[in-house]
Amino acid sequence: MPMLNMRFVLPDHVVDLNRVAELTGIRRAGETIEIGAMTRQRDLEFSQDIADACPLMSEALTHVGHRQTRNRGTIGGSLCHLDPAAELVCVAAALDAVVEVIGPNGRREIPFAEFPAGYMSPAIDYTEIVSRLTFPVWPRETGHAFVEFSRRHGDFAIVSAAAMLLLDGAGRITRAVLALGGVAATPLRMRDVEAALIGQVASIELIGKVAEMCRDVEAVGDVYVPASYRQHLACVMSRRALETALSRAGKSAAAAH
Ligand SMILES: Cc1cc2nc3c(=O)[nH]c(=O)nc-3n(C[C@H](O)[C@H](O)[C@H](O)COP(=O)(O)OP(=O)(O)OC[C@H]3O[C@@H](n4cnc5c(N)ncnc54)[C@H](O)[C@@H]3O)c2cc1C
């Protein structure tokens, strides 16, 4: 719809998937949660299953457009539109979602890391549709945070950050994830930052240090902000997301014992 609205595409035909009931729904399946491509963003926002299994997504959804757009927008539409600043795109990158597509040759699964073929271009054939997204469920004691900087609430993020931290009983980081949206043509996983966190005793000082590693990230400049400003925001958003994730991980771990 945004591409039609802005006259970027002028298709001969538009195929309406709204009435394909099999493409909608949220289902917990063991240590994963499966979401039909046509599931509305608003249904995800209010889903208790999503809040329990994937709180990072619940938090990210509060930043997606406005309640009017979330009433109609779908998770599959957001991932296929593949705006690098879209919150659900950043969450899918952070959590290593798996994208299921269906076409004339049957079903196949694409790890989200291989899903963006380029700027706003999903790696699916024109004869295929996305049918389902699968997200892994992290342990309950994981700390999560989704933060973003946008000019007004509800705008696409200029830069967003999604973080997940899991600590052992001694406060050492055993799993860490950091993804950035809006910085480059596709969402970025900051794997060097993740590697620098894992195995370390978590602290605000450590987070401040590793967040600075985002200073050199390859960033795009556009009419809104130069690349150097996005690099600055990448550091600030990473620090905020990791600090919040850490504060929540501490609380969850304390509650779990
Ligand atoms: C005013 C406004 C503000 C917005 N703000 C934000 C924001 O802040 N953050 C954000 O993330 N998004 C934002 N959006 C985008 C919105 O959240 C939707 O993701 C977007 O409009 C796509 O809508 P849709 O799900 O109806 O998909 P559509 O518009 O129907 O589809 C989008 C693209 O994906 C393709 N597609 C859709 N479903 C499938 C499928 N199952 N298989 C294969 N291809 C498919 C379509 O062919 C099309 O190319 C905003 C939109 C508007 C209009």
Side-chain angles (χ1 to χ4, degrees):
M1 294 313 296
M3 299 298 258
L4 289 173
N5 188 249
M6 291 183 277
R7 307 291 189 269
F8 285 141
V9 292
L10 295 169
D12 292 331
H13 299 88
V14 175
V15 179
D16 184 2
L17 297 177
N18 273 296
R19 292 190 211 156
V20 187
E22 295 86 342
L23 293 179
T24 302
I26 301 164
R27 194 172 78 91
R28 177 80 185 250
E31 290 313 297
T32 62
I33 189 142
E34 299 173 349
I35 305 172
M38 287 298 289
T39 308
R40 307 278 173 205
Q41 295 162 2
R42 194 78 169 150
D43 292 331
L44 294 169
E45 184 183 348
F46 286 105
S47 161
Q48 193 56 49
D49 284 337
I50 295 293
D52 291 342
C54 200
L56 182 70
M57 186 184 295
S58 301
E59 186 158 80
L61 279 159
T62 62
H63 297 279
V64 178
H66 313 274
R67 68 183 67 147
Q68 293 86 344
T69 63
R70 295 198 294 271
N71 277 335
R72 297 301 297 168
T74 61
I75 186 167
S78 182
L79 297 192
C80 291
H81 186 56
L82 206 55
D83 190 309
E87 290 79 3
L88 290 173
V89 169
C90 188
V91 169
L95 294 179
D96 290 319
V98 174
V99 184
E100 182 196 78
V101 300
I102 302 183
N105 298 323
R107 289 170 199 266
R108 65 189 179 104
E109 291 190 337
I110 309 172
F112 193 79
E114 295 166 20
F115 188 66
Y119 179 61
M120 296 182 82
S121 305
I124 58 174
D125 193 72
Y126 70 95
T127 59
E128 294 175 315
I129 61 164
V130 170
S131 45
R132 192 170 60 189
L133 296 315
T134 304
F135 291 81
V137 177
W138 281 50
R140 286 194 83 81
E141 56 270 27
T142 305
H144 71 277
F146 189 97
V147 300
E148 71 174 43
F149 182 82
S150 57
R151 296 180 72 194
R152 296 166 305 187
H153 184 81
D155 284 359
F156 274 98
I158 295 176
V159 170
S160 63
M164 304 275 283
L165 288 178
L166 187 61
L167 313 184
D168 67 13
R172 207 170 283 280
I173 300 169
T174 55
R175 288 174 75 184
V177 154
L178 178 66
L180 295 176
V183 175
T186 57
L188 300 176
R189 269 292 286 280
M190 303 305 293
R191 296 197 189 270
D192 49 348
V193 175
E194 295 170 5
L197 287 166
I198 293 168
Q200 304 295 319
V201 174
S203 69
I204 295 294
E205 293 71 32
L206 173 70
I207 285 172
K209 205 169 95 193
V210 299
E212 274 305 308
M213 293 167 70
C214 300
R215 183 81 51 195
D216 298 327
V217 72
E218 201 176 322
V220 292
D222 57 19
V223 291
Y224 301 110
V225 297
S228 58
Y229 187 60
R230 281 200 166 83
Q231 289 169 322
H232 171 69
L233 283 178
C235 297
V236 176
M237 292 301 114
S238 296
R239 180 174 51 73
R240 287 184 190 167
L242 288 167
E243 281 179 4
T244 303
L246 175 58
S247 68
R248 290 172 175 169
K251 279 179 200 144
S252 317
H257 289 108

